[in-house]
Amino acid sequence: MSTLLTVSCLLSACAAPAPPRAAAARPSATTATPAAPPALPPPTGGRPVGATVLYLKDASRADPWAPEAKARELMVTLWYPARTRTGAPAPYMSAKESELTLKGKRVTGAPSDVLSKVRTNARTGAEPAGRAGGLPLVVLSPGFTLPRGTLTALAEDLASHGYVVAGVDHAYENYATTFPDGRIATCVACDSDTDPGFGPRVTAVRAADVSFVLDRLTGPDPAWPGSRLIDRRRIAMAGHSIGGAAAVEAMLKDRRIRAGLDMDGTTYARIPRGGLSRPFLFLGSAGHPPGGRDTSWDRDWKLLSGWKRWLTLPGADHQSFTDVPLLARALGLGAPGSLDAARPTQIVRAYVRAFLDLHLRGRPQPLLDGPSARYPEVRFCVPGRKDCR
């Protein structure tokens, strides 16, 4: 199958072992006809969505992947509720980023700039809306080799419901991150992906990145004029694949993060014996049942001492938690998993927002109490039981 759809994640970031990154891609079992670049589905909330891009430079540390860079540089997209739907549509990524991403994933059945033409719902530079200290903050961390833009459908939806969302590009961990001066950071970390200890190293780097982003968004010298709207007491982190694994690491290192969510990522951080008492949600594909090939969730489950849930989506593929199902047809590829292209996005949006609304806003969420007739595809798991229900 295409590396973009099912094996773009590495063993260090997947639900189950995958072929080495250098292995040749295999054709998808069902290859769709290339189509016009799609529009992302509209957000479900009632607020217009704005977007802006921040360039952040952490001079306190050298870049861990490119030692010649004496400072760690990050690109961050902020999605937020806006006063009006004004401004140009926010770009999904640049043409060059699209080209390098498709080349890295060995996708050849679509124009090289196709991802730069994906239509989003957010508006660039729209004026933020909200009262001072009134908006919860959610940090999103993408899967290894994937840019922050691949979580846009989720980010836009959360922003439409009153969240500030910070999507982080962890430089040199994906195929193309463009800095304001035109430099492009390519995937230097890909050269180390088979090294012993690679997973723990990535999650530690990302945890440091996230703490720095929080400093710049909520500290005394904020990088975004709208930072005054953020409630510093209500911060969560969610991530896909190794970005989800990094959520555990970041919570252990930074107590500002009140709740965490891992979407289909093998975890590496060692939770201390005293446990992690803040809320945590595992949301996985068929490859993440209790007692499955990836035992990291079973290990961590025992040490999660606060509110916790373990949900699986048996019809999902590893990439179903990203925008990939929505983009597959435009890329001339078969959709990942067995669900209709739009369905994974609907499910992920619903459960991620329910988790955040419960733990950052204190709003009861029956959706998280057990199986739902509206989302019958989702299974609730408890380690020790033979089957998820």
Side-chain angles (χ1 to χ4, degrees):
M1 286 176 281
S2 162
T3 49
L4 182 61
L5 297 180
T6 56
V7 296
S8 65
C9 54
L10 304 173
L11 174 58
S12 63
C14 293
R21 180 179 54 86
R26 294 173 294 175
S28 174
T30 56
T31 301
T33 301
L40 296 181
T44 62
R47 306 188 190 189
V49 178
T52 191
V53 176
L54 302 179
Y55 165 69
L56 304 179
K57 186 174 182 178
D58 185 359
S60 70
R61 55 183 174 135
D63 193 281
W65 306 113
E68 66 276 11
K70 302 305 181 183
R72 177 69 165 161
E73 298 172 279
L74 301 173
M75 298 303 298
V76 178
T77 295
L78 295 181
W79 293 269
Y80 52 86
R83 291 190 181 279
T84 58
R85 195 171 183 269
T86 57
Y92 194 74
M93 64 176 70
S94 72
K96 189 62 176 180
E97 288 169 336
S98 175
E99 176 189 346
L100 292 175
T101 298
L102 296 188
K103 181 180 178 181
K105 297 298 186 184
R106 297 189 287 280
V107 175
T108 59
S112 64
D113 64 348
V114 64
L115 294 176
S116 69
K117 297 180 179 179
V118 175
R119 297 190 299 276
T120 67
N121 299 282
R123 298 288 171 153
T124 299
E127 184 181 357
R131 61 178 176 80
L135 302 181
L137 171 63
V138 183
V139 179
L140 294 184
S141 182
F144 187 67
T145 76
L146 295 178
R148 66 194 188 275
T150 53
L151 297 175
T152 297
L154 173 60
E156 290 182 337
D157 192 65
L158 291 173
S160 77
H161 287 276
Y163 288 89
V164 175
V165 183
V168 183
D169 252 4
H170 304 277
Y172 302 104
E173 296 180 23
N174 63 60
Y175 292 113
T177 296
T178 305
F179 296 124
D181 61 5
R183 288 175 297 125
I184 296 179
T186 57
C187 194
V188 176
C190 289
D191 296 331
S192 307
D193 58 30
T194 58
D195 291 355
F198 180 74
R201 182 183 179 191
V202 174
T203 55
V205 169
R206 292 192 175 205
D209 289 347
V210 169
S211 287
F212 177 66
V213 169
L214 295 183
D215 290 344
R216 294 309 320 277
L217 289 178
T218 65
D221 183 26
W224 179 47
S227 288
R228 63 180 182 79
L229 303 178
I230 295 173
D231 185 342
R232 302 175 186 177
R233 302 165 301 170
R234 295 187 291 165
I235 298 173
M237 179 176 173
H240 167 245
S241 196
I242 208 161
V248 179
E249 181 88 36
M251 290 182 74
L252 293 173
K253 298 290 177 60
D254 197 324
R255 292 197 61 84
R256 290 176 293 184
I257 304 171
R258 285 183 47 181
L261 193 155
D262 178 356
M263 295 183 287
D264 215 42
T266 297
T267 57
Y268 298 96
R270 292 298 184 262
I271 299 174
R273 290 185 179 181
L276 178 61
S277 61
R278 280 162 283 162
F280 204 87
L281 172 64
F282 287 128
L283 181 59
S285 66
H288 260 123
R293 294 173 67 188
D294 176 14
T295 61
S296 66
W297 287 14
D298 297 88
R299 177 198 66 217
D300 290 351
W301 182 262
K302 300 172 186 176
L303 294 169
L304 294 173
S305 56
W307 186 102
K308 58 186 177 181
R309 293 290 186 275
W310 182 328
L311 309 182
T312 62
L313 189 55
D317 173 88
H318 186 63
Q319 297 298 342
S320 297
F321 304 91
T322 73
D323 295 344
V324 168
L326 303 170
L327 307 177
R329 186 162 179 258
L331 295 170
L333 301 169
S338 60
L339 302 173
D340 291 340
R343 188 58 171 168
T345 298
Q346 295 169 356
I347 293 170
V348 169
R349 282 176 162 183
Y351 280 87
V352 171
R353 183 163 58 85
F355 173 76
L356 296 171
D357 279 353
L358 175 62
H359 296 294
L360 296 188
R361 287 174 161 157
R363 299 174 181 173
Q365 299 295 320
L367 186 63
L368 298 173
D369 293 337
S372 165
R374 186 175 182 184
Y375 303 104
E377 303 94 335
V378 178
R379 299 286 185 266
F380 282 65
C381 302
V382 177
R385 292 180 180 171
K386 291 184 178 180
D387 298 307
C388 300
R389 60 187 178 96

